[in-house]
Amino acid sequence: MADDTELIIALAEYEHLRELSRTVHDQSSARFTFFLAVASGATAVSAGLITTGRPDGQIRPAVLAGLGLLVLLLGVFVFARQVELNDRGRRYAVAATVLRTYLARRAPGLTPFIIMPTLDDAGPFAPEPFHRHWFRDLVSQAGMIALVNSVLVALAATMAVLLLGGPVWLAALVAVMVATASVAGHLRAIRRRVARSAAQVGTVLTTRSLAAPSRVAG
């Protein structure tokens, strides 16, 4: 009877984790899609203002700057939220892996048929490790938002140099430097959050004598 109670609790917790993971995935995708829609709309409006704006061109720089600032502010907020959601998703994946290990150990005969990762067997769908290459972070949803933010910051820096009377080559150089620094800053924020999450997960798993965090990262 005790074993049945433990199994019921484990299955309920596992199902709850599945729902939480699905919610995080849906929220992350919705925010990313919304940001892309806003950025695409702002780009289309900017292109329209450039080609069909007032002949004297007086209103266009201010409007273009306002649109760029709006997208940049939105990008910063969405980026921060994406990093948080990604962190939650990784933690939920670790929790699901731990519970899956418990269920597999209860029925050792079924272990060869379980293809999702456990603490004892990574399986064919081994999760991504916490300590992964920076390029994986760059091509993630948060990384794509970081690229858009960096481009906007670089464009702002370029316009500032040109408005101050600087040469084109200097504006281009400043744009490259600003964009590179911005991307690096965004990636650093992502990787610091991942490292902090890995440390916290590792502490819990080590305390409970389960496994190292690199084996169960999401």
Side-chain angles (χ1 to χ4, degrees):
M1 185 67 178
D3 290 342
D4 291 339
T5 301
E6 293 175 358
L7 179 60
I8 291 174
I9 295 175
L11 291 176
E13 182 70 8
Y14 190 77
E15 183 62 26
H16 182 55
L17 284 171
R18 287 183 56 192
E19 292 297 326
L20 291 175
S21 298
R22 185 180 298 111
T23 300
V24 165
H25 178 270
D26 292 343
Q27 290 181 354
S28 179
S29 299
R31 282 172 170 78
F32 182 69
T33 302
F34 173 72
F35 175 74
L36 288 184
V38 172
S40 300
T43 302
V45 172
S46 299
L49 289 174
I50 293 175
T51 57
T52 63
R54 289 179 53 180
D56 55 14
Q58 293 181 355
I59 193 175
R60 286 181 293 184
V63 175
L64 293 177
L67 287 174
L69 180 60
L70 173 63
V71 176
L72 179 59
L73 290 176
L74 178 63
V76 171
F77 294 136
V78 175
F79 171 79
R81 184 58 174 168
Q82 287 293 100
V83 172
E84 179 183 353
L85 290 175
N86 291 342
D87 180 54
R88 288 188 183 183
R90 283 187 293 268
R91 292 171 183 268
Y92 292 153
V94 172
T97 299
V98 173
L99 272 177
R100 197 181 303 115
T101 302
Y102 167 76
L103 296 174
R105 289 176 180 176
R106 281 180 56 98
L110 293 178
T111 300
F113 304 97
I114 298 177
I115 61 176
M116 296 302 293
T118 67
L119 299 181
D120 302 322
D121 183 6
F125 299 104
E128 295 182 5
F130 277 105
H131 303 288
R132 55 181 184 259
H133 194 269
W134 61 267
F135 186 74
R136 297 302 298 270
D137 295 322
L138 185 61
V139 298
S140 64
Q141 291 182 347
M144 297 301 294
I145 297 173
L147 289 176
V148 176
N149 291 344
S150 300
V151 169
L152 291 174
V153 173
L155 288 175
T158 301
M159 295 302 299
V161 173
L162 294 177
L163 290 175
L164 292 174
V168 175
W169 67 266
L170 180 59
L173 179 61
V174 169
V176 172
M177 294 177 61
V178 170
T180 302
S182 179
V183 171
H186 282 81
L187 287 179
R188 179 174 175 80
I190 295 174
R191 296 178 70 82
R192 286 187 63 181
R193 184 62 177 264
V194 171
R196 185 175 66 181
S197 180
Q200 292 174 344
V201 169
T203 299
V204 173
L205 296 182
T206 301
T207 302
R208 300 180 182 183
S209 301
L210 292 173
S214 59
R215 294 189 54 188
V216 292

